[in-house]
Amino acid sequence: MDIKDQIGRPITIENTPKRIVSLVPSQTELLYDLGLEEAIVGITKFCVHPFHFKSTKTVVGGTKNINIDKIKALQPDIILCNKEENTKAIVEACEQICATHVSDIVTIRDCIALINRYGVLFNKRTHAKKISDKIEFNLSDFQAYIKEKPLLKVAYFIRREPWMAVGSNTFINHLLQLNNFENIYANLERYPEVELQKIQQEGDPELILLSSEPYPFKEEHAFEIDRHSHHAKTVFVDGEYFSWYGSRLVKAFNYFKALRNRL
């Protein structure tokens, strides 16, 4: 089978892969939901769903730092990476071992394309279609719901020291738009470093969203932001629902509804 991954690289796969290494947490969860638990041989330390994988699968490092010898020893047929999660050096090292597929996710359409591509790659077309159909249905339902909700100006933070926010050309920003949130940092690329002292001049958000990952925000950080914002409401949000693609999206829209109902 000759295919291209989501960054346009050609990949040749002779048979359905039976041994998979996943270097992306959300894709590991997707593989499990596709019924591929037995085929998964290697994961990262951040692959926390499903929970039991940390004791049943070989951990080969993080998303930015892998143990290449551990991966080689697993004798994988395919390694799954992501353009944002993994470095170019990691992808190049993995290519020396076996076929390496790189995803590139900015929109829900990209997610659905990846799910269906995995369905073909791993001979799980029916599983993939069920997941895709559920996402499509829940998305349509959510779009009807959110239409009645007011547009809110928001800032979504992912890190402190330095403070880093979500900008444009990211999957999180795409989901913020779907939630009828106007990202005050959408004029900046990717994940810009920002100064809290300038938050009013740079957009004066009504809502501050503090993600549960990758940084463990606490109440004192909300107070720190409050000193600089103009009466913005600060809300702690589940970063997995805003940044994990794949089968996580099936549940995401109910979470977004519950979030709106709390505001």
Side-chain angles (χ1 to χ4, degrees), residues 15-160:
N15 302 300
T16 301
K18 301 296 184 189
R19 297 179 64 79
I20 307 167
V21 169
S22 173
L23 300 182
V24 189
S26 55
Q27 290 172 195
T28 300
E29 180 181 50
L30 170 59
L31 294 172
Y32 173 74
D33 288 334
L34 285 170
L36 290 162
E37 177 169 4
E38 295 305 313
I40 302 165
V41 294
I43 61 173
T44 75
K45 63 183 178 180
F46 301 115
C47 294
V48 294
H49 299 296
F51 180 76
H52 67 273
F53 269 20
K54 69 177 186 177
S55 59
T56 61
K57 305 298 178 185
T58 299
V59 175
V60 299
T63 53
K64 300 284 193 291
N65 209 333
I66 59 169
N67 186 321
I68 202 71
D69 291 329
K70 268 192 177 182
I71 294 177
K72 283 180 185 174
L74 291 171
Q75 298 183 304
D77 300 317
I78 192 168
I79 301 168
L80 304 179
C81 297
N82 173 264
K83 182 181 176 182
E84 180 174 295
E85 294 273 356
N86 311 121
T87 65
K88 185 180 178 185
I90 283 177
V91 172
E92 289 172 348
C94 289
E95 283 178 311
Q96 302 305 309
I97 300 172
C98 65
T100 301
H101 183 282
V102 182
S103 62
D104 185 15
I105 308 293
V106 179
T107 69
I108 287 179
R109 291 293 144 215
D110 297 332
C111 298
I112 290 171
L114 179 68
I115 292 165
N116 292 329
R117 174 53 52 84
Y118 280 4
V120 173
L121 264 179
F122 302 115
N123 198 24
K124 293 288 184 179
R125 291 172 179 82
T126 302
H127 287 72
K129 187 173 188 311
K130 282 181 181 176
I131 293 170
S132 295
D133 286 351
K134 283 180 185 175
I135 292 171
E136 294 272 17
F137 178 84
N138 292 348
L139 171 60
S140 178
D141 173 70
F142 180 73
Q143 286 173 322
Y145 162 87
I146 202 68
K147 212 184 292 184
E148 306 301 319
K149 303 298 179 183
L151 180 71
L152 295 175
K153 290 171 70 175
V154 306
Y156 187 111
F157 287 101
I158 60 166
R159 197 173 290 280
R160 178 180 173 274

Side-chain angles (χ1 to χ4, degrees), residues 242-260:
F242 275 98
S243 63
W244 284 39
Y245 40 88
S247 46
R248 174 68 35 163
L249 278 173
V250 172
K251 302 174 185 175
F253 297 106
N254 281 339
Y255 174 80
F256 295 149
K257 281 183 181 180
L259 174 62
R260 263 291 178 161

